[in-house]
Amino acid sequence: MTIERDPAPQFAEFSHPERLVSADWLEERLGQPGLVVVESDEDVLLYETGHIRGAVKIDWHTDLNDPVTRDYIDGENFAKLMSRSGISRDTTVVIYGDKTNWWAAYALWVFTLFGHEDVRLLDGGRAKWEADGREYTLEAPTPTPTEYPIVERQDSVIRAFRDDVLAHLGDPLVDVRSPEEYSGERTTAPAYPEEGALRAGHIPSAQSVPWSKAVADDGTFRPLSELNEIYREGAGLKDGDQIVAYCRIGERSSHTWFVLNYLMGFENVRNYDGSWTEWGSLVAVPIVTGAEPGEVPSR
Amino acid sequence: MSEQQIPTQLAEIRDDFLELQLRDRLQLLLEFANELPELPERYRDHPDLFERVEECQSPVFIFIEVEDDTVQMYATAPPEAPTTRGFASILAQGLSGLSTAEVLELTDDYPQSLGLAQAVSPLRLRGMTGMLARAKRQIRLKSAV
């Protein structure tokens, strides 16, 4: 890792404390060579209203998604994106964003698909930075382009496709959507637009743990004892489990993937980014409605 | 729908966007977001009058006033949703002052004509399409009376 980790005591109990930084840590290091701060938001204009000094913007729609195929960009385009963002292969990248880091966690997950080693989240994201009264700037940085290598995306470790999920049935699944989406009352989060799924409900046997349970009121991650209560006692996850998390398009479940993988130390966690907008439209796959997880159909 | 059927003020907004490079189009959208006027005093305490635009991810509410066949559009959206504010502001400026017929005849694809699909993504642009559809629906309801 290029830059030392944040030794803040609240991170020490997590399995990968090096994946989180506090606002104090970041503020002290802004402008340090080898560090690039990335903002990734749901709202594509929020960065333009003010951002952390020196931060570059990476948008999930226009930068990380392939414009034609429903997939992420390839290694060549990722290298171009990194180059114009001033990021080298050994750069320490700190990502933050709106909505308690939904899209920041999603961006971090995509960086991880390309094996970028040192990528961290700013605990609490934009909301906490603002609540602390910390500074924003309107000035957009002009990064010096880097030579970022073309690295092929590695989809087999942290990403699950629909066939992987079908084969996975019987092992733990975590549905991180709202209770209304889980039970089948609606196909999108309350107050969100309807977005193309033909059936409502959840994947059989999936435990319902809305993503937001992992964060405290100020937007920072909950301490390990509380996370254990939610995911181990509440959802029954055990060490050694193979786990797949999903939501609607994979952004909220990236957040949960981060929690399970880097904070709680589960080693086999995959994010199913096809999520409900794919599963809810697939022909002949099993679906359960109602508040109970339901049974995996016999094959 | 043919070119000349787009009212001048809407055509001007469109041309302002199309003249710019992609990145500058976002800046112009931000200017619109910043220009979204506060609600007039008489509507501030009447959230009941406003209709939520479900097609938008952020909470945005619109209200159409029709007087002497002239349309006024009001909208409110939080500062942390500048894209949505920008969309609302374009429509509030573009539709207000037009006749009901002019708005109803406006192509539903007007949002797609602004050259923003690439800058903000087609999915996000759907929010503006939803807003326009709801504005038209309110006009139909109000001018039917």
Side-chain angles (χ1 to χ4, degrees):
Chain A
M1 300 231 170
T2 319
I3 296 188
E4 71 284 1
R5 72 178 177 88
D6 184 348
Q10 69 268 30
F11 302 147
E13 60 179 1
F14 294 135
S15 54
H16 290 276
E18 75 280 5
R19 293 294 174 179
L20 283 175
V21 305
S22 60
D24 282 339
W25 183 95
L26 184 61
E27 204 166 34
E28 276 168 32
R29 285 164 185 76
L30 288 179
Q32 191 166 320
L35 171 73
V36 172
V37 182
V38 170
E39 174 160 339
S40 214
D41 297 319
E42 177 174 290
D43 192 300
V44 67
L45 265 183
L46 205 49
Y47 172 90
E48 278 78 7
T49 67
H51 50 264
I52 295 177
R53 178 163 55 86
V56 295
K57 166 182 166 179
I58 292 184
D59 184 67
W60 67 285
H61 270 299
T62 57
D63 292 322
L64 295 176
N65 279 347
D66 184 278
V68 180
T69 312
R70 182 175 173 190
D71 203 352
Y72 302 101
I73 51 174
D74 60 12
E76 199 180 331
N77 283 313
F78 187 74
K80 280 186 197 155
L81 174 65
M82 293 299 97
S83 173
R84 71 166 187 267
S85 306
I87 297 171
S88 302
R89 192 66 175 161
D90 61 356
T91 299
T92 296
V93 176
V94 172
I95 313 183
Y96 73 100
D98 63 352
K99 306 262 169 166
T100 325
N101 282 336
W102 276 15
W103 308 97
Y106 185 78
L108 183 145
W109 181 76
V110 174
F111 271 63
T112 309
L113 288 175
F114 290 100
H116 191 95
E117 200 182 311
D118 189 1
V119 52
R120 318 178 189 184
L121 279 188
L122 169 64
D123 198 22
R126 258 188 92 99
K128 178 76 165 51
W129 187 272
E130 281 168 27
D132 290 351
R134 295 175 202 264
E135 217 172 78
Y136 279 146
T137 178
L138 290 175
E139 198 181 322
T142 45
T144 310
T146 61
E147 294 287 327
Y148 198 91
I150 294 175
V151 184
E152 281 318 303
R153 219 176 52 220
Q154 169 62 269
D155 285 337
S156 60
V157 182
I158 59 168
R159 186 178 188 192
F161 292 96
R162 62 186 185 206
D163 291 343
D164 301 327
V165 178
L166 273 170
H168 177 89
L169 288 179
D171 278 321
L173 278 158
V174 183
D175 184 318
V176 317
R177 298 171 302 158
S178 61
E180 293 86 345
E181 294 168 273
Y182 180 83
S183 67
E185 279 168 59
R186 39 182 305 141
T187 57
T188 54
Y192 268 67
E194 289 290 336
E195 213 165 52
L198 294 173
R199 289 289 188 270
H202 57 266
I203 302 177
S205 82
Q207 292 286 324
S208 170
V209 188
W211 70 277
S212 58
K213 289 198 173 175
V215 292
D217 290 341
D218 67 355
T220 59
F221 287 108
R222 290 188 187 281
L224 190 59
S225 60
E226 293 176 25
L227 295 177
N228 281 335
E229 236 167 76
I230 296 162
Y231 293 98
R232 289 179 192 272
E233 283 144 52
L237 299 180
K238 298 183 298 295
D239 289 325
D241 276 350
Q242 308 270 337
I243 303 164
V244 168
Y246 71 93
C247 59
R248 184 178 51 104
I249 52 169
E251 86 295 7
R252 286 172 284 176
S253 45
S254 299
H255 192 275
T256 298
W257 168 84
F258 184 91
V259 170
L260 297 176
N261 195 40
Y262 288 141
L263 306 187
M264 301 186 68
F266 289 102
E267 282 168 5
N268 296 294
V269 189
R270 285 178 294 168
N271 179 24
Y272 170 37
D273 58 278
S275 276
W276 199 256
T277 51
E278 178 174 71
W279 196 271
S281 293
L282 279 175
V283 173
V285 295
I287 289 176
V288 172
T289 55
E292 296 303 319
E295 300 292 324
V296 173
S298 51
R299 275 175 258 183
Chain B
M1 180 168 280
S2 65
E3 170 76 7
Q4 50 269 49
Q5 282 170 283
I6 292 185
T8 318
Q9 59 196 52
L10 284 161
E12 279 173 7
I13 293 174
R14 180 198 58 199
D15 294 344
D16 286 347
F17 274 104
L18 294 181
E19 270 168 22
L20 298 171
Q21 300 289 324
L22 221 52
R23 189 171 282 269
D24 295 329
R25 287 179 197 170
L26 275 186
Q27 279 303 326
L28 182 57
L29 185 60
L30 182 60
E31 281 171 33
F32 272 100
N34 292 335
E35 283 168 16
L36 182 67
E38 291 272 319
L39 294 180
E41 197 80 56
R42 63 187 184 282
Y43 290 138
R44 255 171 240 170
D45 300 321
H46 284 283
D48 50 303
L49 291 174
F50 281 73
E51 177 184 14
R52 162 103 202 220
V53 181
E54 301 283 351
E55 290 83 358
C56 287
Q57 296 200 332
S58 311
V60 53
F61 298 85
I62 64 163
F63 177 64
I64 295 279
E65 204 180 53
V66 178
E67 225 179 286
D68 298 332
D69 200 45
T70 302
V71 171
Q72 277 294 326
M73 176 175 157
Y74 302 99
T76 169
E80 64 271 19
T83 303
T84 304
R85 283 178 67 87
F87 291 164
S89 177
I90 289 171
L91 290 181
Q93 292 187 33
L95 302 184
S96 294
L98 298 182
S99 72
T100 54
E102 282 175 314
V103 177
L104 292 176
E105 281 164 19
L106 175 66
T107 168
D108 293 332
D109 291 334
Y110 176 74
Q112 279 70 37
S113 73
L114 300 173
L116 282 169
Q118 239 186 311
V120 305
S121 87
L123 198 66
R124 285 182 175 122
L125 203 55
R126 291 209 320 220
M128 190 169 169
T129 309
M131 224 178 276
L132 177 59
R134 282 165 194 272
K136 287 185 176 186
R137 197 184 59 88
Q138 285 196 20
I139 291 171
R140 275 189 210 102
L141 281 174
K142 280 164 195 172
S143 45
V145 182

